[in-house]
Amino acid sequence: MTKIDHVLLATTDLDHGEQQLWRGYGLRCVPGGSHRQWGTANLIVPIGSQYLELVAVEDKELAATTLLGRAVLAAADRDRLTPIGLCLASADLSSTAARLAQEPERGSRALADGTEIHWASVGMQHAFGATRLPFFIAWEDLSQHPSAAAAEHRIAPREIAYVEVGGPEDALLEHLGEAVATLRPVGGAPGVRSLALRLDDDSEVQLP
């Protein structure tokens, strides 16, 4: 079953975005690392077996040449956190790649201690191009999944309850290959509009 892996939130500055998440929502970030191939860097907000990825540009010159970097540069707003992408965990990335007629793309991120984590993804050109559709991921080592990090939140988030996604609903469903209950098509301009976290007491907190 396809499920939400993580949602990307763009910010102009990681320290500033971290404070926005803590003061506004009671969510604590943990260290992420650098995307050396994209000119960006991130912080992680573990949410159960999922996470939020706070991402900012680290190298403007390099970022301006990459899909993710350009998306962050275009969307980052100091006054608010901006959802810019949705990543889904694929149980069979090879089948997903074949269905979409795309080759998996290798990715990596360097941690503060020099360790690198690796994954493969499909559909990033859709995620950060004009259609802003979700992309798919498979982690090389699930024990290194970013959600495994411990974070002392002020609230008790259990999972990502849902993500609202703009754009034509039929195009979204065709891209997904199946209905994903936690995705809510809302029409209008394509892209992630908002999301909600489900807490341990079953209440919900909406972002941004």
Side-chain angles (χ1 to χ4, degrees), residues 17 56 59 84 100 107 128 141 159 161 166 190 203:
D59 181 334
I84 60 165
L100 296 177
F128 304 112
D141 183 352
E159 62 185 353
S203 63

Side-chain angles (χ1 to χ4, degrees), residues 58-198:
E58 185 174 57
D59 181 334
K60 286 186 177 181
E61 185 174 345
L62 174 58
T65 69
T66 70
L67 276 171
L68 177 58
R70 287 195 296 267
V72 177
L73 285 168
D77 184 336
R78 189 167 177 82
D79 294 331
R80 69 187 294 271
L81 300 171
T82 308
I84 60 165
L86 169 62
C87 180
L88 304 176
S90 176
D92 186 348
L93 195 67
S94 295
S95 294
T96 300
R99 179 174 60 80
L100 296 177
Q102 297 177 24
E103 288 294 323
E105 179 181 348
R106 306 295 300 179
S108 65
R109 174 161 57 83
L111 305 182
D113 64 1
T115 302
E116 287 199 349
I117 59 176
H118 300 268
W119 62 85
S121 64
V122 170
M124 285 190 67
Q125 60 266 55
H126 292 298
F128 304 112
T131 57
R132 297 289 168 146
L133 291 164
F135 68 104
F136 302 86
I137 197 167
W139 294 88
E140 184 175 284
D141 183 352
L142 279 176
S143 70
Q144 293 181 323
H145 191 273
S147 67
E152 296 182 359
H153 302 305
R154 194 167 61 235
I155 60 175
R158 186 170 75 224
E159 62 185 353
I160 298 174
Y162 64 83
V163 176
E164 293 184 339
V165 182
E169 184 173 355
D170 56 347
L172 175 64
L173 185 58
E174 181 180 0
H175 180 73
L176 295 174
E178 62 179 305
V180 179
T182 49
L183 302 192
R184 296 185 178 180
V186 295
V192 179
R193 300 292 186 77
S194 66
L195 63 138
L197 307 181
R198 182 170 291 113

